Amino acid sequence: MAQKQVAGPEIERLIQLLAKLPGLGPRSARRAALHLIKKKDQLLVPLSEAMGIAVRDIGICSVCGTVDTSDPCTICSDDKRDPSVLVIVEDVSDLWALERAGAVNARYHVLGGTLSPLDGVGPDDLNLASLIDRCGAPEIQEVILAISATVEGQTTAHYIMDQLGHLDVHVTKLAHGVPVGGELDYLDEGTLAQALKARTRF
């Protein structure tokens, strides 16, 4: 039996677009749409204005590949950051996560994904050519590979290592192991094995 329309096409389109967002299915999108409509003046109008500004002003940084309203971006323009350290991340969300942690005051390079031959993603599909150019700059002394521990992530990391082999830069990677506050019983075997291999002096 065909599903009946319960709202006008404009509302249905809003629901369909919200359902395309990560973490929102059709049911959650309906709830979100209804909440936005009920709070039209407090939420829907400001959100639509913010989205209009985002469409108009947000672009990709030509230096590092992150998203921002300026080019070069806020991070690349910050002269208080250590220019000798370059952190390589897969996506902008990874950059934001590292910035939230506040663990490093460096510059970044966003790859835009990982190498995945099965999905047809090769070196030319990622932001790799400009990365090699940046790493060749005389001020770069350390490159930190902040790439996920997936098969695709590690393949990408090895590819980058090969490409940087001729340069005089110190390449490091993030440690993998027991998270802060983590209980051993809840960790998978791969994480435990990596934690044991990367153990440090107490």
Side-chain angles (χ1 to χ4, degrees):
M1 189 170 76
Q3 192 175 9
K4 292 181 180 177
Q5 291 285 101
V6 295
E10 296 83 4
I11 295 175
E12 288 296 329
R13 176 156 168 73
L14 175 62
I15 292 166
Q16 288 168 6
L17 289 170
L18 287 171
K20 292 179 188 240
L21 293 172
L24 285 184
R27 222 177 253 182
S28 300
R30 286 189 181 281
R31 283 197 296 271
L34 188 57
H35 186 71
L36 287 168
I37 291 164
K38 283 181 178 177
K39 304 275 187 183
K40 184 177 179 181
D41 291 334
Q42 299 99 317
L43 283 176
L44 191 57
V45 172
L47 180 62
S48 67
E49 289 171 356
M51 287 188 158
I53 292 168
V55 169
R56 188 187 70 226
D57 295 343
I58 295 176
I60 306 294
C61 175
S62 59
V63 179
C64 72
T66 192
V67 292
D68 206 338
T69 52
S70 59
D71 185 14
C73 69
T74 304
I75 291 175
C76 289
S77 303
D78 185 357
D79 57 8
K80 294 183 179 69
R81 289 182 177 267
D82 185 352
S84 68
V85 180
L86 187 64
V87 183
I88 302 172
V89 294
E90 294 173 31
D91 203 1
V92 176
S93 58
D94 302 323
L95 185 158
W96 288 353
L98 289 169
E99 281 295 289
R100 280 195 309 272
V104 65
N105 187 39
R107 301 190 188 278
Y108 292 88
H109 191 88
V110 181
L111 295 175
T114 53
L115 295 173
S116 180
L118 291 175
D119 297 320
V121 180
D124 294 338
D125 300 308
L126 301 179
N127 192 13
L128 284 166
S130 61
L131 169 64
I132 310 307
D133 290 341
R134 289 185 76 190
C135 291
E139 67 268 17
I140 299 293
Q141 295 174 16
E142 181 183 6
V143 172
I144 302 173
L145 297 174
I147 299 175
S148 62
T150 61
V151 172
E152 293 82 5
Q154 294 310 295
T155 300
T156 306
H158 286 296
Y159 179 85
I160 292 170
M161 284 285 292
D162 289 342
Q163 296 299 304
L164 300 182
H166 67 287
L167 299 174
D168 185 25
V169 290
H170 185 55
V171 182
T172 58
K173 65 175 185 172
L174 296 184
H176 300 288
V178 180
V180 174
E183 296 182 34
L184 297 185
D185 190 38
Y186 292 100
L187 298 176
D188 64 274
E189 292 81 2
T191 300
L192 279 172
Q194 183 61 41
L196 281 167
K197 285 180 189 171
R199 64 188 182 277
T200 57
R201 194 175 185 88
F202 190 65

